[in-house]
Amino acid sequence: MPRKGGNKIKMKEEKTSEEMDVDKCDKKGKTKNPETPKEVPAEETLKPSKDIDPGPTLIDAETLKDLLECPVCLRVPRETPIYQCARGHVVCGECKPKVTTCPQCREVLGNIRSLVSEKVLEKLPASCKYSDHGCQIEVMRYLLPAHESQCKYRIVSCVDLACQQRVSLSCMLNHLDSDHETEDFVRVEGGEYSSHFIINEEDFQKDIMWTSDQLHFDGNYFYRECCRSNKGLWYICISRCILGVTKDCGIYVYLGAF
């Protein structure tokens, strides 16, 4: 039986070690579940550091051309096919018949085509085929035929029918001045010009060509050629030397009579 006025004994429940750890976490303001990690936004994890240089993101056309350069002619192929050796070194279709081994690694060069190189080539601008004569135009390949047909550096026959040379159109006047005799042409300045040639009886029995005329007018050079074959065919040719693109060809008139 308890005594009156005696000390009261308060019973305290002892906490387990796990409950004490939870209380400590509560006091520090942390979550009660230590196994749940803090979520980090996706954009923060993918954001690159400002101190890291990402480097170039695009490959320029000149770099790709260097990779496609043929080691034989040292040029970028203008058209397919492109061949490769077993190690991947490329050779253009024009040089392929000239070599039997790879110029770089000396492996046997078969008929393996480099399809990747051909696909890349289709996406690159190509230089004009008259680049060796001074043209510096580069356009996509589907535009080349239209340009090359009018290129002022294209190769043409000499306006003198007796001359068998083919020269760049841009060099035609220099060719006429340096490679032809002065008496090969009657040179005239002006917009109107009348000429004639004398036919002798013996001329009807042979091939013959008369002296040509050169007319300089309106920045253009016009040429008149007259010849006869031993088969009795007569030719009178009027040509115009245009140092550029062909245009306005219909504004000049030539009248011929016998």
Side-chain angles (χ1 to χ4, degrees), residues 181-199:
E181 301 294 335
T182 304
E183 57 268 18
D184 286 350
F185 295 93
V186 176
R187 304 174 192 269
V188 181
E189 296 285 337
E192 294 184 6
Y193 172 65
S194 298
S195 67
H196 67 280
F197 51 92
I198 299 174
I199 304 174

Side-chain angles (χ1 to χ4, degrees), residues 22-87:
V22 172
D23 289 343
K24 292 179 181 179
C25 291
D26 289 342
K27 291 178 181 179
K28 294 181 180 180
K30 294 184 179 179
T31 177
K32 292 184 178 181
N33 188 359
E35 297 180 357
T36 304
K38 181 181 179 181
E39 294 183 0
V40 180
E43 56 270 16
E44 292 185 8
T45 60
L46 299 178
K47 186 176 180 180
S49 173
K50 295 182 179 180
D51 298 332
I52 300 177
D53 183 9
T57 57
L58 297 176
I59 301 177
D60 60 274
E62 293 303 320
T63 300
L64 292 175
K65 288 181 180 180
D66 290 341
L67 296 176
L68 297 178
E69 184 180 90
C70 174
V72 180
C73 62
L74 303 179
R75 296 184 180 183
V76 178
R78 296 189 70 255
E79 56 188 15
T80 58
I82 300 176
Y83 295 92
Q84 69 173 41
C85 70
R87 296 188 178 183

Side-chain angles (χ1 to χ4, degrees), residues 23 33 59 74 78 93 99 104 109 124 165 170 190 218-219 236 240:
D23 289 343
N33 188 359
I59 301 177
L74 303 179
R78 296 189 70 255
V99 294
Q104 294 181 277
L109 188 63
L124 292 175
Q165 292 193 48
S170 62
D218 197 22
I236 296 181
R240 176 188 175 194

Side-chain angles (χ1 to χ4, degrees), residues 67-250:
L67 296 176
L68 297 178
E69 184 180 90
C70 174
V72 180
C73 62
L74 303 179
R75 296 184 180 183
V76 178
R78 296 189 70 255
E79 56 188 15
T80 58
I82 300 176
Y83 295 92
Q84 69 173 41
C85 70
R87 296 188 178 183
H89 302 131
V90 297
V91 174
C92 71
E94 293 183 4
C95 295
K96 169 67 168 56
K98 305 175 185 177
V99 294
T100 56
T101 59
C102 175
Q104 294 181 277
C105 66
R106 302 305 176 185
E107 289 281 345
V108 175
L109 188 63
N111 293 315
I112 304 174
R113 292 178 61 172
S114 178
L115 300 181
V116 173
S117 298
E118 293 178 0
K119 290 294 184 182
V120 173
L121 187 67
E122 293 176 358
K123 305 301 181 182
L124 292 175
S127 58
C128 174
K129 67 180 179 180
Y130 303 112
S131 58
D132 289 345
H133 301 279
C135 185
Q136 298 181 353
I137 293 296
E138 285 193 353
V139 295
M140 298 307 294
R141 279 170 171 72
Y142 69 91
L143 297 174
L144 275 179
H147 162 74
E148 292 173 347
S149 66
Q150 303 295 320
C151 181
K152 67 179 181 180
Y153 298 97
R154 65 186 182 274
I155 304 301
V156 297
S157 299
C158 178
V159 294
D160 186 355
L161 297 180
C163 180
Q164 301 298 315
Q165 292 193 48
R166 289 176 60 81
V167 298
S168 173
L169 180 59
S170 62
C171 299
M172 180 64 73
L173 296 180
N174 290 334
H175 164 69
L176 296 176
D177 290 338
S178 59
D179 299 336
H180 285 260
E181 301 294 335
T182 304
E183 57 268 18
D184 286 350
F185 295 93
V186 176
R187 304 174 192 269
V188 181
E189 296 285 337
E192 294 184 6
Y193 172 65
S194 298
S195 67
H196 67 280
F197 51 92
I198 299 174
I199 304 174
N200 299 313
E201 185 175 353
E202 61 269 17
D203 295 337
F204 291 94
Q205 307 299 324
K206 60 183 179 181
D207 289 330
I208 189 172
M209 182 176 296
W210 285 265
T211 303
S212 304
D213 295 331
Q214 181 194 69
L215 175 64
H216 183 210
F217 171 67
D218 197 22
N220 297 278
Y221 288 87
F222 300 87
Y223 297 89
R224 189 272 303 157
E225 292 273 356
C226 183
C227 60
R228 180 193 181 278
S229 71
N230 58 6
K231 295 181 180 180
L233 299 176
W234 290 78
Y235 302 91
I236 296 181
C237 304
I238 307 298
S239 58
R240 176 188 175 194
C241 182
I242 307 172
L243 303 181
V245 297
T246 303
K247 61 180 181 179
D248 302 331
C249 291

